[in-house]
Amino acid sequence: APLSDYYSGAQAALLEKTWGSSSLPLSYFLEPYPFYGSLFSQTIFDGTSIYHGLNVKLQKRYSRGLTFLATYTFSKKIYNASTAQLASQLFDSVHLASGRSGLLGGRIGSAGSIYGGAYQDPDNRNEDRSIGYDDIPHMFNLVASYELPVGRGKAFLNRGGIVNTVAGGWRLSSNFNAQSGVPLQVSGPCNGLTCRPNLVGNPSKVPGGQSASDWINASAFQPVYGPDQSFWANPNQSDPRWWQFGTAGAYLPGLRSPGFWNLDSSLVKDFHITETKYVQFRWEVFNS
């Protein structure tokens, strides 16, 4: 049916641009939203996740000028290769993707699984259970505040006047955070089934130790079809090596990004003019 039988002006022009034709099947015009063709949910929950954690807290309430709170978490996260797929076919039906003739919208098929990619073998999903991409086994946090023991009512220079004004009432505060690095993902030359390589060694055992310029032991990996470079250069789809799965997991617990630590501190003193009015001096140091 011609678009002009049902729409005119800008709406007809946009429909023609969307579908690439000045006529559409009559069934499209009978839908509530012919501009989109059809509406459907693309949220697919397909997998499992497991989290185990131990939380320890040590707290000292304020006394003798000192208070602190220390927390430590030891945990482990394990995911399937595909725990959720969100809007993998979400698209903008007006703005066409450049260079993608025949496809509608700028985002069609752009978003895949949020955890590690698709299954290598949908018939054996247990093989794709691996450490979570956001697994952080060790996390430590310490927040502390200490009022220096100097000035009126303190252990040292316990007097008022100019001494207390200058030396008394200083508070030192700090916030220290430290945590392990997250596991890394490695991909290699692909065959007909996967881009996962074979894991044949310790990926973090770099000769001379890991450094910023040499973090991954490349010899710990092989292409999924093995070390034969001639096959790499001239793959043969009739060869069984073209149809085998890699042995490396989606994310590797033995290969992590560098750990993280951060210390922020401050030194504060209130200079009281009256009981309700004061001027505060604050010196803050951020480690970022």
Side-chain angles (χ1 to χ4, degrees):
L3 288 172
S4 57
D5 288 355
Y6 297 90
Y7 294 92
S8 62
Q11 289 181 317
L14 287 174
L15 275 170
E16 183 173 351
K17 183 178 180 180
T18 298
W19 297 109
S21 174
S22 61
S23 61
L24 293 175
L26 181 60
S27 60
Y28 281 33
F29 297 112
L30 301 178
E31 295 286 342
Y33 302 98
F35 192 78
Y36 297 98
S38 63
L39 297 177
F40 57 93
S41 171
Q42 191 59 32
T43 301
I44 304 172
F45 297 98
D46 181 23
T48 62
S49 62
I50 295 176
Y51 171 82
H52 291 156
L54 170 68
N55 297 316
V56 179
K57 181 177 77 171
L58 178 63
Q59 181 176 12
K60 182 185 183 303
R61 298 186 183 277
Y62 182 84
S63 66
R64 298 186 178 181
L66 175 64
T67 178
F68 68 80
L69 174 64
T71 61
Y72 169 72
T73 300
F74 174 65
S75 64
K76 187 174 185 178
K77 292 183 180 180
I78 297 176
Y79 296 137
N80 281 103
S82 179
T83 300
Q85 292 188 0
L86 303 178
S88 64
Q89 291 186 8
L90 179 67
F91 62 90
D92 178 347
S93 58
V94 175
H95 304 92
L96 301 180
S98 60
R100 303 180 69 183
S101 177
L103 295 181
L104 297 176
R107 294 183 59 194
I108 183 168
S110 65
S113 167
I114 61 174
Y115 294 140
Y119 293 107
Q120 284 194 111
D121 183 1
D123 296 324
N124 188 7
R125 300 184 177 188
N126 286 336
E127 290 296 324
D128 280 328
R129 286 176 56 81
S130 67
I131 204 74
Y133 77 99
D134 56 347
D135 175 70
I136 302 176
H138 302 284
M139 298 184 69
F140 176 76
N141 177 254
L142 173 64
V143 180
S145 177
Y146 181 56
E147 187 172 351
L148 301 181
V150 178
R152 180 180 297 167
K154 305 299 181 182
F156 302 100
L157 299 179
N158 183 9
R159 66 192 68 171
I162 188 66
V163 173
N164 183 69
T165 301
V166 175
W170 290 95
R171 299 191 308 276
L172 179 64
S173 300
S174 65
N175 186 350
F176 176 74
N177 296 275
Q179 63 185 44
S180 306
V182 295
L184 300 179
Q185 184 183 45
V186 174
S187 62
C190 308
N191 65 2
L193 294 176
T194 185
C195 295
R196 303 256 192 95
N198 290 328
L199 185 62
V200 296
N202 185 344
S204 62
K205 192 174 182 180
V206 178
Q210 290 178 309
S211 64
S213 60
D214 193 6
W215 191 257
I216 300 176
N217 176 19
S219 63
F221 301 94
Q222 283 184 355
V224 62
Y225 38 74
D228 186 352
Q229 295 187 14
S230 62
F231 186 86
W232 185 353
N234 300 285
N236 180 5
Q237 296 185 15
S238 299
D239 191 308
R241 288 176 292 179
W242 188 251
W243 306 105
Q244 62 186 13
F245 301 110
T247 60
Y251 288 86
L252 304 172
L255 180 64
R256 294 178 176 270
S257 66
F260 166 85
W261 68 270
N262 184 79
L263 176 63
D264 299 328
S265 299
S266 67
L267 184 64
V268 180
K269 176 177 171 58
D270 296 335
F271 293 90
H272 281 269
I273 301 172
T274 67
E275 288 293 329
T276 59
K277 295 180 175 61
Y278 64 91
V279 176
Q280 184 179 81
F281 171 85
R282 177 181 292 269
W283 179 42
E284 296 181 327
V285 180
F286 297 100
N287 178 205
S288 59

